[in-house]
Amino acid sequence: MTTPRGSSPPFGQLDFVYMPSRDVAADLEQLTQGVGAEPVFAIEAFGARVAMIAPAAGPPNLLLADHLEGERPVFVYRVDDVAAAMAELESRG
């Protein structure tokens, strides 16, 4: 895949999707019991609730989090060099 400018994005594998949740416990129950996703962990600490589920055998896993603002998920990709990936993305605006 290439960008409109003709260069490849600096991303590797999509490891997980960080998803805002208004009710982590309810979403965790629905996705594990209702859909059949595998629970990986669920924690409540520092005023936040976070749970990870594995909806399929491989990545990406889904992280449900009640501390994220808005409704848009955050896609977390693997990169070989964080500083280089950030510099490249910043150079693209």
Side-chain angles (χ1 to χ4, degrees):
M1 180 172 123
T2 60
T3 67
R5 295 183 185 174
S7 61
S8 297
F11 307 122
Q13 172 180 298
L14 176 61
D15 278 342
F16 59 89
V17 178
Y18 207 20
M19 189 74 188
S21 172
R22 292 190 181 128
D23 188 337
V24 172
D27 290 341
L28 177 63
E29 182 177 347
Q30 178 186 15
L31 291 166
T32 56
Q33 294 180 11
V35 176
E38 289 292 322
V40 177
F41 68 80
I43 59 170
E44 184 172 356
F46 308 108
R49 284 183 157 185
V50 179
M52 180 182 275
I53 63 164
N61 286 339
L62 180 62
L63 259 173
L64 305 167
D66 68 357
H67 62 275
L68 291 178
E69 297 289 327
E71 297 181 14
R72 296 180 71 176
V74 175
F75 299 104
V76 180
Y77 289 89
R78 186 175 303 254
V79 296
D80 292 330
D81 182 334
V82 173
M86 289 296 299
E88 180 164 343
L89 291 170
E90 288 171 353
S91 76
R92 297 180 188 189

XYZ file of all heavy atoms in Angstrom:
691
model
N 0.837 -1.166 0.000
C 0.000 0.000 0.000
C 0.886 1.233 0.000
O 1.867 1.306 0.725
C -0.873 -0.016 1.242
C -1.801 1.158 1.340
S -2.939 0.911 2.711
C -2.577 2.374 3.613
N 0.542 2.214 -0.796
C 1.293 3.459 -0.810
C 0.352 4.628 -0.548
O -0.854 4.533 -0.732
C 2.002 3.672 -2.166
O 1.029 3.705 -3.205
C 3.008 2.578 -2.438
N 0.915 5.717 -0.097
C 0.143 6.925 0.149
C 0.010 7.691 -1.153
O 0.709 7.392 -2.132
C 0.852 7.806 1.196
O 2.063 8.274 0.620
C 1.111 7.052 2.474
N -0.848 8.710 -1.207
C -0.958 9.517 -2.417
C 0.357 10.140 -2.848
O 0.572 10.402 -4.006
C -1.980 10.592 -2.041
C -2.787 9.989 -0.941
C -1.843 9.073 -0.214
N 1.284 10.318 -1.928
C 2.582 10.897 -2.268
C 3.555 9.848 -2.802
O 4.680 10.154 -3.112
C 3.182 11.582 -1.056
C 2.359 12.765 -0.606
C 3.013 13.461 0.532
N 2.129 14.520 1.012
C 2.350 15.239 2.072
N 3.435 15.035 2.785
N 1.517 16.161 2.452
N 3.117 8.579 -2.837
C 3.943 7.537 -3.424
C 4.854 6.802 -2.467
O 5.611 5.943 -2.890
N 4.807 7.115 -1.179
C 5.662 6.408 -0.233
C 4.813 5.529 0.671
O 3.641 5.758 0.878
C 6.477 7.407 0.592
O 5.610 8.250 1.321
N 5.423 4.506 1.210
C 4.718 3.574 2.081
C 4.547 4.177 3.471
O 5.420 4.894 3.950
C 5.499 2.268 2.210
O 5.596 1.642 0.961
N 3.455 3.854 4.150
C 3.320 4.321 5.523
C 4.355 3.639 6.419
O 4.805 2.532 6.111
C 1.904 3.918 5.915
C 1.413 2.999 4.870
C 2.314 3.098 3.689
N 4.735 4.276 7.523
C 5.790 3.726 8.383
C 5.278 2.695 9.391
O 5.893 2.473 10.417
C 6.314 4.975 9.107
C 5.123 5.851 9.215
C 4.347 5.612 7.936
N 4.167 2.055 9.099
C 3.545 1.137 10.052
C 3.838 -0.309 9.722
O 3.940 -0.692 8.570
C 2.029 1.298 10.070
C 1.559 2.704 10.284
C 0.755 3.316 9.355
C 1.930 3.410 11.414
C 0.305 4.604 9.557
C 1.486 4.695 11.624
C 0.674 5.305 10.685
N 3.870 -1.112 10.766
C 3.899 -2.555 10.636
C 2.514 -3.094 10.942
O 1.502 -2.512 10.561
N 2.478 -4.158 11.684
C 1.230 -4.834 12.039
C 0.353 -3.968 12.942
O 0.841 -3.282 13.826
C 1.598 -6.116 12.775
C 0.442 -6.848 13.389
C 0.926 -8.098 14.078
O 1.467 -8.973 13.425
N 0.748 -8.171 15.378
N -0.961 -4.027 12.736
C -1.917 -3.414 13.647
C -2.042 -4.340 14.858
O -2.568 -5.442 14.745
C -3.278 -3.231 12.959
C -4.409 -2.691 13.816
C -4.086 -1.296 14.349
C -5.708 -2.674 13.018
N -1.536 -3.926 16.010
C -1.521 -4.775 17.203
C -2.856 -4.763 17.939
O -3.339 -5.789 18.368
C -0.417 -4.366 18.154
C 0.926 -4.949 17.759
O 0.959 -5.920 16.978
O 1.953 -4.437 18.233
N -3.409 -3.568 18.148
C -4.709 -3.509 18.797
C -5.424 -2.210 18.489
O -4.827 -1.250 18.015
C -4.626 -3.759 20.309
C -3.766 -2.813 21.096
C -4.278 -1.651 21.624
C -2.436 -3.113 21.338
C -3.496 -0.795 22.362
C -1.642 -2.265 22.090
C -2.178 -1.095 22.599
N -6.732 -2.240 18.727
C -7.581 -1.072 18.560
C -7.986 -0.630 19.963
O -8.560 -1.404 20.721
C -8.822 -1.405 17.709
C -9.728 -0.190 17.591
C -8.408 -1.914 16.332
N -7.647 0.602 20.302
C -7.945 1.196 21.601
C -9.288 1.886 21.463
O -9.406 2.914 20.803
C -6.834 2.189 21.890
C -6.506 2.483 23.321
C -6.852 1.648 24.366
C -5.795 3.643 23.619
C -6.514 1.954 25.674
C -5.442 3.952 24.913
C -5.816 3.107 25.932
O -5.471 3.405 27.210
N -10.333 1.324 22.045
C -11.711 1.728 21.787
C -12.335 2.409 22.997
O -12.332 1.834 24.092
C -12.506 0.471 21.430
C -13.877 0.730 20.938
S -13.745 1.357 19.267
C -15.425 1.794 19.001
N -12.867 3.627 22.816
C -13.580 4.260 23.923
C -14.803 3.432 24.314
O -15.465 2.844 23.468
C -14.018 5.609 23.354
C -13.185 5.831 22.144
C -12.836 4.480 21.628
N -15.101 3.391 25.606
C -16.252 2.652 26.113
C -16.881 3.448 27.247
O -16.179 3.914 28.140
C -15.820 1.279 26.629
O -16.885 0.636 27.291
N -18.182 3.579 27.218
C -18.888 4.250 28.324
C -19.097 3.299 29.492
O -19.279 3.728 30.614
C -20.219 4.794 27.833
C -20.047 5.928 26.859
C -21.364 6.608 26.570
N -21.116 7.678 25.615
C -21.788 7.825 24.501
N -22.760 6.996 24.189
N -21.512 8.815 23.682
N -19.101 1.984 29.205
C -19.315 0.973 30.246
C -18.477 -0.253 29.887
O -18.934 -1.157 29.190
C -20.793 0.614 30.350
C -21.109 -0.286 31.528
O -20.199 -0.999 32.031
O -22.277 -0.302 31.946
N -17.239 -0.271 30.365
C -16.294 -1.328 30.016
C -16.823 -2.702 30.428
O -16.756 -3.653 29.658
C -14.900 -1.060 30.633
C -13.980 -2.252 30.441
C -14.281 0.192 30.007
N -17.377 -2.810 31.632
C -17.866 -4.110 32.113
C -18.987 -4.642 31.225
O -18.994 -5.819 30.860
C -18.336 -3.997 33.556
N -19.928 -3.790 30.841
C -21.036 -4.220 29.978
C -20.538 -4.590 28.581
O -20.965 -5.595 28.002
C -22.099 -3.127 29.883
N -19.617 -3.780 28.037
C -19.071 -4.089 26.705
C -18.274 -5.389 26.732
O -18.360 -6.198 25.808
C -18.196 -2.938 26.203
C -18.989 -1.693 25.847
O -20.224 -1.801 25.645
O -18.382 -0.608 25.775
N -17.506 -5.592 27.813
C -16.732 -6.820 27.957
C -17.666 -8.029 27.997
O -17.438 -9.028 27.310
C -15.884 -6.755 29.228
C -15.069 -7.990 29.582
C -14.031 -8.287 28.505
C -14.399 -7.793 30.937
N -18.727 -7.940 28.768
C -19.683 -9.041 28.854
C -20.354 -9.319 27.516
O -20.458 -10.468 27.085
C -20.749 -8.740 29.911
C -21.739 -9.871 30.072
C -22.756 -9.607 31.171
O -22.578 -8.676 31.971
O -23.750 -10.344 31.222
N -20.776 -8.274 26.834
C -21.436 -8.453 25.536
C -20.498 -9.094 24.515
O -20.887 -9.999 23.781
C -21.941 -7.116 24.994
C -22.595 -7.241 23.630
C -22.971 -5.902 23.035
O -22.523 -4.857 23.482
N -23.797 -5.935 22.010
N -19.260 -8.634 24.473
C -18.330 -9.141 23.466
C -17.797 -10.541 23.787
O -17.459 -11.296 22.879
C -17.185 -8.155 23.272
C -17.609 -6.840 22.603
C -16.526 -5.785 22.748
C -17.947 -7.068 21.147
N -17.711 -10.885 25.076
C -17.228 -12.226 25.423
C -18.369 -13.238 25.448
O -18.285 -14.286 24.822
C -16.470 -12.227 26.763
O -17.296 -11.696 27.790
C -15.193 -11.433 26.662
N -19.433 -12.922 26.148
C -20.544 -13.871 26.255
C -21.452 -13.850 25.036
O -21.912 -14.892 24.590
C -21.341 -13.602 27.527
C -20.527 -13.878 28.771
C -21.308 -13.617 30.049
O -22.504 -13.416 30.041
N -20.597 -13.631 31.162
N -21.700 -12.662 24.501
C -22.609 -12.552 23.370
C -21.981 -12.885 22.034
O -22.590 -13.536 21.187
N -20.749 -12.450 21.839
C -20.069 -12.630 20.550
C -19.093 -13.799 20.574
O -18.820 -14.418 19.560
C -19.348 -11.318 20.144
C -18.558 -11.474 18.863
C -20.344 -10.168 20.021
N -18.550 -14.112 21.753
C -17.620 -15.225 21.868
C -16.159 -14.842 21.844
O -15.293 -15.702 21.717
N -15.860 -13.543 21.970
C -14.459 -13.111 22.022
C -13.828 -13.608 23.320
O -14.510 -13.806 24.320
C -14.372 -11.589 21.947
N -12.523 -13.828 23.295
C -11.791 -14.305 24.464
C -11.331 -13.119 25.318
O -10.677 -12.206 24.810
C -10.559 -15.109 24.042
C -10.890 -16.439 23.439
C -11.482 -17.409 24.452
O -11.031 -17.414 25.620
O -12.403 -18.148 24.071
N -11.634 -13.122 26.628
C -11.099 -12.061 27.482
C -9.604 -12.268 27.705
O -9.155 -13.395 27.892
C -11.879 -12.223 28.785
C -12.315 -13.653 28.788
C -12.474 -14.061 27.349
N -8.838 -11.192 27.639
C -7.389 -11.255 27.879
C -7.085 -10.721 29.277
O -6.381 -11.354 30.043
C -6.610 -10.477 26.801
C -5.121 -10.475 27.084
C -6.912 -11.037 25.413
N -7.619 -9.544 29.607
C -7.503 -9.002 30.947
C -8.557 -7.919 31.147
O -9.110 -7.391 30.187
C -6.099 -8.452 31.239
C -5.730 -7.213 30.455
C -6.177 -5.955 30.839
C -4.906 -7.310 29.347
C -5.835 -4.820 30.113
C -4.552 -6.182 28.617
C -5.022 -4.940 29.003
N -8.808 -7.598 32.397
C -9.675 -6.483 32.772
C -9.112 -5.901 34.061
O -8.848 -6.638 35.007
C -11.107 -6.943 32.974
N -8.900 -4.581 34.060
C -8.348 -3.932 35.248
C -9.121 -2.653 35.550
O -9.724 -2.048 34.662
C -6.846 -3.602 35.098
C -6.599 -2.672 33.907
C -6.016 -4.848 34.981
C -5.199 -2.115 33.841
N -9.074 -2.274 36.806
C -9.584 -0.988 37.240
C -8.533 -0.410 38.168
O -8.232 -0.982 39.225
C -10.915 -1.141 37.963
C -11.522 0.178 38.355
C -12.928 0.060 38.904
O -13.499 -1.044 38.924
O -13.453 1.102 39.339
N -7.924 0.686 37.736
C -6.868 1.318 38.524
C -6.726 2.775 38.111
O -6.994 3.126 36.957
C -5.535 0.592 38.317
N -6.308 3.603 39.057
C -6.041 5.018 38.790
C -7.249 5.730 38.182
O -7.115 6.596 37.326
C -4.811 5.176 37.888
C -3.609 4.449 38.396
C -3.158 3.299 37.770
C -2.944 4.892 39.531
C -2.059 2.608 38.242
C -1.838 4.203 40.014
C -1.395 3.064 39.374
N -8.455 5.318 38.586
C -9.671 5.972 38.107
C -10.081 5.590 36.702
O -10.882 6.287 36.085
N -9.544 4.508 36.174
C -9.884 4.078 34.810
C -10.160 2.581 34.780
O -9.591 1.816 35.560
C -8.746 4.408 33.846
N -11.034 2.186 33.877
C -11.291 0.768 33.612
C -10.830 0.469 32.194
O -11.142 1.207 31.252
C -12.777 0.456 33.699
C -13.295 0.375 35.068
C -14.759 -0.002 35.049
N -15.096 -0.585 36.330
C -16.260 -1.108 36.606
N -17.204 -1.147 35.698
N -16.483 -1.607 37.798
N -10.109 -0.643 32.050
C -9.610 -1.080 30.750
C -9.746 -2.594 30.675
O -9.468 -3.294 31.644
C -8.134 -0.670 30.540
C -7.613 -1.161 29.193
C -7.957 0.834 30.656
N -10.171 -3.092 29.535
C -10.249 -4.536 29.314
C -9.788 -4.834 27.893
O -10.056 -4.067 26.972
C -11.673 -5.041 29.518
N -9.072 -5.945 27.739
C -8.653 -6.366 26.404
C -9.343 -7.672 26.073
O -9.432 -8.570 26.904
C -7.138 -6.559 26.309
C -6.679 -7.009 24.917
S -4.891 -7.296 24.796
C -4.349 -5.617 24.472
N -9.828 -7.755 24.831
C -10.416 -8.990 24.329
C -9.747 -9.363 23.023
O -9.214 -8.517 22.316
C -11.944 -8.883 24.130
C -12.262 -7.825 23.078
C -12.654 -8.607 25.430
C -13.660 -7.917 22.535
N -9.779 -10.662 22.732
C -9.256 -11.184 21.472
C -10.455 -11.701 20.670
O -10.961 -12.775 20.952
C -8.255 -12.295 21.723
N -10.938 -10.915 19.695
C -12.086 -11.355 18.917
C -11.749 -12.453 17.911
O -12.638 -13.145 17.431
C -12.572 -10.092 18.213
C -11.459 -9.113 18.305
C -10.552 -9.550 19.407
N -10.465 -12.632 17.609
C -10.038 -13.641 16.641
C -8.715 -14.239 17.114
O -8.125 -13.782 18.088
C -9.875 -13.017 15.257
N -8.230 -15.243 16.386
C -7.006 -15.935 16.782
C -5.761 -15.048 16.716
O -4.816 -15.251 17.453
C -6.797 -17.170 15.913
N -5.749 -14.070 15.849
C -4.579 -13.203 15.719
C -4.948 -11.753 15.922
O -6.102 -11.429 16.173
N -3.972 -10.865 15.832
C -4.239 -9.454 16.014
C -5.140 -8.919 14.884
O -5.221 -9.549 13.838
C -2.864 -8.804 15.958
C -1.910 -9.838 15.529
C -2.585 -11.153 15.562
N -5.787 -7.817 15.150
C -5.661 -6.970 16.326
C -6.626 -7.372 17.437
O -7.735 -7.835 17.190
C -6.028 -5.584 15.803
C -7.032 -5.845 14.721
C -6.600 -7.151 14.098
N -6.160 -7.194 18.670
C -7.035 -7.325 19.822
C -7.747 -5.995 20.035
O -7.360 -4.977 19.455
C -6.243 -7.697 21.071
C -5.803 -9.146 21.048
O -6.376 -9.967 20.340
N -4.788 -9.461 21.823
N -8.764 -6.002 20.871
C -9.553 -4.808 21.139
C -9.387 -4.425 22.603
O -9.577 -5.256 23.488
C -11.029 -5.086 20.826
C -12.015 -3.959 21.044
C -11.694 -2.774 20.135
C -13.423 -4.450 20.752
N -8.984 -3.172 22.836
C -8.858 -2.632 24.187
C -10.034 -1.703 24.428
O -10.214 -0.723 23.710
C -7.574 -1.809 24.307
C -6.391 -2.442 24.970
C -5.169 -1.551 24.839
C -6.641 -2.766 26.402
N -10.854 -2.017 25.413
C -11.978 -1.167 25.798
C -11.507 -0.269 26.926
O -10.938 -0.754 27.904
C -13.142 -2.025 26.270
C -13.624 -3.093 25.297
C -14.556 -4.068 25.998
C -14.311 -2.447 24.112
N -11.724 1.037 26.820
C -11.208 1.959 27.834
C -12.213 3.074 28.102
O -12.710 3.689 27.161
C -9.886 2.557 27.365
N -12.473 3.327 29.377
C -13.437 4.377 29.709
C -12.802 5.758 29.857
O -13.487 6.735 30.078
C -14.222 4.014 30.972
C -13.395 4.009 32.239
O -12.164 4.241 32.184
O -13.978 3.755 33.310
N -11.492 5.860 29.717
C -10.813 7.144 29.894
C -10.488 7.861 28.578
O -9.936 8.959 28.611
C -9.528 6.954 30.712
C -8.538 6.072 30.034
N -8.587 4.704 30.154
C -7.490 6.357 29.237
C -7.591 4.185 29.451
N -6.917 5.164 28.889
N -10.842 7.278 27.440
C -10.580 7.937 26.158
C -11.676 8.960 25.868
O -12.851 8.706 26.105
C -10.529 6.920 25.012
C -9.353 5.966 25.006
C -9.477 4.998 23.840
C -8.041 6.719 24.914
N -11.298 10.086 25.322
C -12.248 11.128 24.947
C -12.863 10.819 23.590
O -12.211 10.237 22.722
C -11.533 12.484 24.864
C -10.961 12.959 26.181
C -12.026 13.376 27.183
O -13.075 13.892 26.762
O -11.801 13.168 28.387
N -14.102 11.200 23.399
C -14.761 11.058 22.105
C -15.209 9.637 21.836
O -15.292 8.799 22.742
N -15.494 9.376 20.563
C -16.003 8.067 20.153
C -15.122 7.363 19.135
O -15.439 6.267 18.699
C -17.418 8.233 19.580
C -18.405 8.746 20.606
C -19.806 8.895 20.057
O -20.089 8.368 18.963
O -20.620 9.538 20.723
N -14.035 7.992 18.737
C -13.166 7.409 17.711
C -12.131 6.492 18.341
O -11.499 6.839 19.334
C -12.470 8.508 16.928
C -13.461 9.368 16.139
C -12.765 10.431 15.371
N -12.046 9.787 14.279
C -11.379 10.450 13.367
N -11.300 11.747 13.423
N -10.756 9.816 12.413
N -11.915 5.324 17.733
C -10.872 4.429 18.239
C -9.479 4.931 17.879
O -9.308 5.745 16.968
C -11.168 3.111 17.525
C -11.818 3.525 16.248
C -12.615 4.759 16.585
N -8.496 4.425 18.601
C -7.092 4.710 18.327
C -6.479 3.406 17.832
O -6.556 2.380 18.506
C -6.364 5.198 19.602
C -4.876 5.385 19.337
C -7.010 6.470 20.130
N -5.886 3.434 16.643
C -5.258 2.251 16.074
C -3.785 2.233 16.495
O -3.071 3.203 16.282
C -5.371 2.251 14.551
C -6.796 2.249 14.084
C -7.386 3.398 13.592
C -7.558 1.094 14.157
C -8.711 3.400 13.176
C -8.879 1.081 13.746
C -9.461 2.233 13.255
N -3.348 1.138 17.103
C -1.976 1.041 17.613
C -1.210 0.040 16.746
O -1.471 -1.159 16.786
C -1.961 0.625 19.098
C -0.530 0.533 19.604
C -2.769 1.609 19.931
N -0.282 0.586 15.956
C 0.520 -0.208 15.029
C 1.910 -0.463 15.598
O 2.452 0.362 16.334
C 0.697 0.543 13.701
C -0.544 0.634 12.872
C -1.427 1.683 13.025
C -0.832 -0.348 11.930
C -2.568 1.777 12.254
C -1.977 -0.267 11.158
C -2.842 0.795 11.321
O -3.981 0.878 10.559
N 2.485 -1.546 15.197
C 3.877 -1.865 15.515
C 4.761 -1.076 14.539
O 4.439 -0.947 13.366
C 4.086 -3.358 15.317
C 5.412 -3.897 15.738
C 5.403 -5.409 15.588
N 4.311 -5.984 16.360
C 4.463 -6.645 17.499
N 5.674 -6.836 17.981
N 3.431 -7.136 18.141
N 5.856 -0.517 15.053
C 6.846 0.165 14.213
C 8.231 -0.280 14.636
O 8.448 -0.663 15.786
C 6.732 1.710 14.286
C 5.405 2.204 13.735
C 6.951 2.230 15.683
N 9.159 -0.249 13.710
C 10.530 -0.631 14.019
C 11.257 0.432 14.831
O 12.071 0.131 15.688
C 11.322 -0.912 12.739
C 10.840 -2.157 12.016
O 10.345 -3.083 12.698
O 10.935 -2.204 10.781
N 10.954 1.703 14.545
C 11.647 2.815 15.188
C 10.626 3.921 15.425
O 10.215 4.599 14.479
C 12.781 3.291 14.281
C 13.604 4.419 14.857
O 13.097 5.195 15.689
O 14.780 4.547 14.451
N 10.226 4.113 16.673
C 9.174 5.087 16.995
C 9.582 6.498 16.576
O 8.792 7.222 15.963
C 8.825 5.041 18.505
C 7.864 6.157 18.865
C 8.232 3.698 18.870
N 10.800 6.896 16.895
C 11.244 8.257 16.563
C 11.233 8.483 15.055
O 10.780 9.533 14.585
C 12.633 8.516 17.138
N 11.693 7.511 14.291
C 11.710 7.654 12.831
C 10.293 7.687 12.269
O 9.990 8.474 11.367
C 12.504 6.515 12.198
N 9.406 6.858 12.800
C 8.014 6.848 12.337
C 7.349 8.182 12.638
O 6.636 8.740 11.792
C 7.245 5.700 12.983
N 7.574 8.720 13.840
C 7.001 10.022 14.195
C 7.540 11.131 13.291
O 6.791 11.977 12.828
C 7.307 10.353 15.658
C 6.539 9.510 16.644
S 4.755 9.749 16.568
C 4.619 11.475 16.977
N 8.839 11.100 13.034
C 9.437 12.124 12.176
C 8.842 12.057 10.772
O 8.533 13.102 10.174
C 10.952 11.956 12.125
N 8.671 10.841 10.259
C 8.099 10.717 8.917
C 6.656 11.210 8.877
O 6.265 11.920 7.971
C 8.169 9.274 8.424
C 7.576 9.141 7.032
C 7.943 7.859 6.330
O 8.896 7.196 6.754
O 7.245 7.549 5.356
N 5.867 10.827 9.860
C 4.481 11.281 9.902
C 4.387 12.803 10.049
O 3.574 13.453 9.399
C 3.723 10.585 11.029
C 3.470 9.094 10.814
C 2.946 8.470 12.089
C 2.540 8.859 9.639
N 5.231 13.374 10.896
C 5.246 14.824 11.062
C 5.648 15.529 9.778
O 5.110 16.579 9.446
C 6.165 15.221 12.216
C 5.576 14.870 13.565
C 6.544 15.055 14.715
O 7.745 15.341 14.474
O 6.102 14.891 15.862
N 6.567 14.953 9.012
C 6.985 15.560 7.748
C 5.859 15.559 6.714
O 5.861 16.357 5.791
C 8.219 14.853 7.183
O 7.865 13.601 6.602
N 4.897 14.669 6.897
C 3.740 14.586 5.990
C 2.577 15.474 6.454
O 1.560 15.535 5.806
C 3.242 13.143 5.891
C 4.244 12.202 5.302
C 3.665 10.818 5.255
N 4.663 9.844 4.865
C 4.393 8.601 4.585
N 3.150 8.137 4.641
N 5.363 7.761 4.237
N 2.766 16.083 7.597
C 1.720 16.966 8.098
C 0.742 16.271 8.982
O -0.337 16.694 9.281
